[in-house]
Amino acid sequence: ALFPASEDGAMRSTWQGKAGRSPLQALYDNYQFEQSTLQAVHHQRREMLSNVCNRYTRKRRLLQRDDLRHLVVDDTHGLLYCYVPKVACTNWKRVMMVLTGQGKYQDPLEIPAHEAHVPSNLRILSEYSIPEINYRLRSYLKFIFVREPFERLVSAYRNKFTLSYNTAFHKRYGTKIIRQHRQEPSDKALERGDDVRFEEFVYYLLDPRTQQEEPFNEHWERVHSLCHPCIIHYDVVGKYETLAEDANYILQLVGADTSVKFPASSKTTRTTDDMTAKFFQNISPFYQRRLFNLYKMDYLLFNYSIPSYLRIR
């Protein structure tokens, strides 16, 4: 067992306005103001997270090595990143490869997406000894990126079940979902598993047998189960909705080379709130409520509102 990480309160605002400034000073002060505003935002997110944890977690357990499998380590910059699939994690892994690559990589976008997910290309905290783990949890800047839970869920469904090239997911999960949650499935559907409907995916998530048989796949597992934010005290909680600002803030905090830039999002196919609402049109209020309860802690911890399209009030 490991000790929980201690809260890092080092990020405090030091900006003060000055009269009679030169253009350079005005630019600097403006930068400082932006930084102090960001610090206030992130302080508020940490406070919110801490309050919800105190309210809902009765007993603080110790971390186990298995809890650390999503924490990527950058020993050069003293950085720990808990990756959450479907929350810009491919680009963050690319950036981590640039930061830890000793000059081998210059531009994150030059790294093929599949290479960013090769386990040997990045070090994971669970690989270290217990004293090394505790030192990093205490000393390194720890960050996480989160996303509106149902938007992330629909994004995972679209990526894993509606794209023809994801045959591994179709075989591994699709065939099982169709077998258990479709009335009179065709032989072709049972064999290929490549036409899972969103409603069937929801039934699969809510079926008690699912988690009894094995843990959720990381693409639809809850963030609090992947990254344990009530045990590990994250210094920065980045949000998908403010991805560019939060990513740049983190890179500045750790003194990364100014040439290292977080990739700008160019995806026009990304899952939006409006798109997510369409997927929920065919889900009955009964199942909407049950699904919301399944992901409720992520909504609370990261201060997301109940989606307006849900019919659960």
Side-chain angles (χ1 to χ4, degrees):
L2 312 165
F3 294 107
S6 60
E7 184 76 59
D8 186 336
M11 288 171 266
R12 296 189 181 90
S13 168
T14 56
W15 179 80
Q16 291 178 326
K18 296 180 181 67
R21 301 168 300 169
S22 69
L24 188 63
Q25 184 66 55
L27 193 67
Y28 175 74
D29 283 354
N30 187 49
Y31 166 77
Q32 289 287 79
F33 176 71
E34 287 174 6
Q35 288 301 99
S36 67
T37 306
L38 274 170
Q39 285 177 354
V41 167
H42 287 287
H43 175 74
Q44 194 175 15
R45 288 179 189 171
R46 290 200 306 274
E47 287 288 299
M48 180 63 152
L49 185 57
S50 176
N51 290 340
V52 174
C53 287
N54 290 337
R55 185 175 170 191
Y56 286 93
T57 49
R58 299 279 180 269
K59 189 179 176 185
R60 293 287 292 274
R61 68 174 180 82
L62 293 177
L63 283 167
Q64 306 299 318
R65 194 179 289 277
D66 204 44
D67 297 329
L68 309 173
R69 290 179 295 112
H70 274 246
L71 281 157
V72 178
V73 182
D74 172 7
D75 283 322
T76 309
H77 298 89
L79 200 53
L80 292 177
Y81 160 54
C82 189
Y83 71 89
V84 178
K86 307 312 298 174
V87 192
C89 93
T90 301
N91 277 342
W92 262 117
K93 285 183 177 181
R94 285 167 161 154
V95 170
M96 295 294 279
M97 284 173 70
V98 172
L99 292 175
T100 59
Q102 282 86 45
K104 183 180 174 185
Y105 309 99
Q106 306 296 328
D107 179 0
L109 286 178
E110 287 177 358
I111 302 169
H114 68 86
E115 204 172 309
H117 298 290
V118 174
S120 58
N121 283 337
L122 289 164
R123 292 207 69 184
I124 303 300
L125 191 59
S126 56
E127 299 168 8
Y128 290 76
S129 70
I130 287 178
E132 289 173 327
I133 289 169
N134 284 325
Y135 170 74
R136 282 159 180 76
L137 284 172
R138 280 195 307 271
S139 312
Y140 285 14
L141 185 130
K142 301 169 288 296
F143 76 98
I144 181 176
F145 267 79
V146 299
R147 182 178 186 178
E148 202 285 328
F150 281 174
E151 198 177 287
R152 174 176 169 248
L153 186 67
V154 168
S155 178
Y157 164 77
R158 290 178 66 218
N159 182 261
K160 299 307 173 191
F161 295 110
T162 71
L163 300 178
S164 58
Y165 63 78
N166 266 325
T167 51
F169 269 80
H170 301 159
K171 290 281 188 185
R172 172 80 176 77
Y173 296 100
T175 53
K176 182 178 183 179
I177 291 170
I178 289 168
R179 186 173 67 251
Q180 293 182 344
H181 300 287
R182 183 178 299 180
Q183 289 187 336
E184 300 179 12
S186 69
D187 291 341
K188 181 183 173 186
L190 286 169
E191 183 192 347
R192 296 175 60 163
D194 62 354
D195 66 341
V196 171
R197 300 171 196 131
F198 185 66
E199 306 94 274
E200 294 166 341
F201 179 52
V202 169
Y203 301 151
Y204 163 77
L205 294 172
L206 295 172
D207 187 336
R209 292 172 297 179
T210 301
Q211 287 193 80
Q212 286 168 7
E213 290 169 8
E214 60 181 340
F216 276 167
N217 180 277
E218 62 178 16
H219 290 83
W220 47 85
E221 179 59 280
R222 285 71 54 93
V223 176
H224 74 271
S225 297
L226 292 175
C227 293
H228 311 284
C230 290
I231 314 174
I232 298 170
H233 298 293
Y234 290 96
D235 303 299
V236 180
V237 177
K239 292 202 167 186
Y240 193 73
E241 296 78 14
T242 51
L243 178 60
E245 306 96 289
D246 294 346
N248 291 332
Y249 179 62
I250 290 161
L251 293 173
Q252 287 168 2
L253 280 177
V254 296
D257 193 296
T258 52
S259 65
V260 181
K261 303 289 183 195
F262 190 84
S265 177
S266 59
K267 283 184 119 178
T268 53
T269 57
R270 89 170 186 84
T271 304
T272 62
D273 185 66
D274 287 347
M275 195 184 292
T276 303
K278 287 189 175 75
F279 278 88
F280 276 83
Q281 282 176 351
N282 295 329
I283 308 298
S284 72
F286 174 76
Y287 283 106
Q288 285 185 7
R289 179 175 287 283
R290 287 187 59 200
L291 194 68
F292 178 78
N293 287 337
L294 187 63
Y295 289 88
K296 186 177 179 179
M297 274 306 290
D298 281 357
Y299 274 96
L300 292 169
L301 289 165
F302 306 116
N303 199 23
Y304 285 105
S305 305
I306 299 174
S308 59
Y309 54 78
L310 290 187
R311 306 186 303 279
I312 63 174
R313 288 171 178 77

